[in-house]
Amino acid sequence: MRHLRSLTRTLHKQRIEGVTFHFDPHHQHELSTAVRHFFTTPEQHTPLDTPEATRGVFLLEGERKWVLKHNRLIHWKKQLQNYLGLKKAFGLHDLTNEFINLSAVSAKSACAPSVAAFGYKGRFPFLKEEYLLVGFLDDHCSVDDRLIAHPEQASTLLPQVFDLFARMLDEGFVHMDPHPKNILIAPDGQLRLIDFECCAHSVIDHDFSLGFLMGYFFHYWIKRFIAMDDYRTCCENYLKVEQPTLDRSIFMPVFERFLTGKVSRTTRYAILTSPKAQAAFKAQ
């Protein structure tokens, strides 16, 4: 796990039940106590997502509340890649990668949760299990839950979501899976992002990235709550007021591609992290 040393050197290392954890030193005692309690009585902890055979997300409660994510890596190639850091790809869907992403993003953005701890279990050169703890955003609800309860709020929420996208780009990163379940609404109305397994740490082209974000957001999720023509109108109204200097020759082709069609995860990762791949996508 040498490729993570620059990220873990300031954290407190501790082994619990055969798992090597790196805790935020400011909350080390509280976190280690909560983790021990989880290992002792996992059935007493509330699942925050439907548990699967190889992964789970649970709520840990102590003086504060924390989210514990757990992955079990099955395939030997994935175990090898994650232990040795053979693929330094920000688009891999795993907790080692989310730890890397959040360590980079939370240092420059208040709309991302901070890392409380990272843990792993394995023996050189294979990583068997991954653990990630982040702060729990209490009293937040997802945009998805809000719209299921109040679908009439879609046109009101959209400009706020677009503002979040613009702020994200200004802060120098691109969340590659920005759907309504990954965007939370705070009690004061502020929006925040979760689930950073897939993220670009820099922005190659602002207008290209905004086209991806606004197009993807409709095609993959929000179309359940708003018709395409109404969505286009909301987008246009937002762009006229908030993005007057936008280069539409760059924005529109990307926006339309993601708005109306499916683009693979591999392609999304490539075009948002590689200038060469992005240029090729523009030329299509």
Side-chain angles (χ1 to χ4, degrees):
M1 305 295 284
R2 292 181 179 179
H3 61 295
L4 299 180
R5 284 182 179 177
S6 63
L7 303 179
T8 59
R9 64 163 56 103
T10 61
L11 305 179
H12 181 89
K13 185 177 179 180
Q14 183 176 350
R15 284 181 65 84
I16 301 175
E17 299 293 333
V19 180
T20 300
F21 280 96
H22 296 273
F23 292 111
D24 178 347
H26 298 95
H27 306 293
Q28 182 269 329
H29 178 72
E30 178 186 352
L31 288 165
S32 62
T33 300
V35 168
R36 289 183 186 279
H37 184 212
F38 174 79
F39 282 146
T40 302
T41 56
E43 70 283 353
Q44 295 182 7
H45 293 75
T46 303
L48 298 177
D49 201 354
T50 304
E52 301 176 22
T54 59
R55 61 188 299 160
V57 183
F58 301 92
L59 177 64
L60 272 57
E61 299 189 59
E63 297 175 29
R64 280 168 286 268
K65 295 180 180 179
W66 313 92
V67 177
L68 173 66
K69 295 184 173 186
H70 171 229
N71 270 4
R72 184 175 292 109
L73 304 179
I74 303 300
H75 199 282
W76 71 267
K77 286 186 178 180
K78 187 67 171 172
Q79 294 176 354
L80 186 69
Q81 289 169 357
N82 282 26
Y83 195 101
L84 299 178
L86 297 179
K87 283 191 175 181
K88 297 181 179 179
F90 305 142
L92 295 178
H93 284 250
D94 54 62
L95 298 182
T96 302
N97 205 65
E98 187 168 8
F99 171 57
I100 294 170
N101 292 338
L102 277 178
S103 296
V105 171
S106 62
K108 56 187 177 182
S109 176
C111 66
S114 58
V115 175
F118 172 72
Y120 62 91
K121 185 176 184 179
R123 180 177 297 177
F124 179 84
F126 298 107
L127 183 68
K128 302 290 187 178
E129 298 180 41
E130 307 169 308
Y131 295 82
L132 182 69
L133 279 88
V134 299
F136 179 69
L137 299 175
D138 211 357
D139 297 324
H140 286 56
C141 74
S142 71
V143 168
D144 192 63
D145 288 339
R146 174 66 61 82
L147 291 179
I148 289 173
H150 302 283
E152 74 281 358
Q153 293 186 12
S155 59
T156 302
L157 277 173
L158 281 174
Q160 298 177 52
V161 172
F162 298 156
D163 279 338
L164 175 67
F165 291 164
R167 187 163 77 250
M168 174 202 310
L169 298 178
D170 288 343
E171 291 173 339
F173 69 96
V174 186
H175 192 301
M176 294 188 193
D177 199 15
H179 61 68
K181 287 187 177 181
N182 283 344
I183 301 175
L184 303 186
I185 308 171
D188 62 2
Q190 293 293 312
L191 302 186
R192 293 185 174 88
L193 293 156
I194 59 171
D195 289 346
F196 279 78
E197 292 179 346
C198 194
C199 178
H201 300 173
S202 61
V203 179
I204 298 171
D205 185 293
H206 174 280
D207 297 345
F208 184 101
S209 299
L210 188 61
F212 153 70
L213 292 164
M214 292 176 68
Y216 178 97
F217 191 70
F218 175 83
H219 180 74
Y220 283 82
W221 289 88
I222 206 71
K223 62 183 179 182
R224 294 179 296 160
F225 305 108
I226 187 170
M228 182 180 289
D229 287 346
D230 293 333
Y231 185 79
R232 288 184 186 276
T233 299
C234 287
C235 290
E236 183 61 28
N237 291 339
Y238 169 79
L239 294 175
K240 283 182 178 178
V241 175
E242 301 295 339
Q243 301 289 333
T245 63
L246 184 80
D247 186 339
R248 289 177 180 261
S249 68
I250 294 175
F251 173 89
M252 290 305 300
V254 183
F255 173 73
E256 290 294 334
R257 179 82 176 270
F258 281 94
L259 181 75
T260 59
K262 184 176 182 180
V263 180
S264 72
R265 179 185 301 166
T266 301
T267 299
R268 296 199 310 267
Y269 169 72
I271 63 176
L272 292 166
T273 59
S274 166
K276 183 178 180 180
Q278 190 169 121
F281 189 86
K282 289 178 183 179
Q284 292 177 3

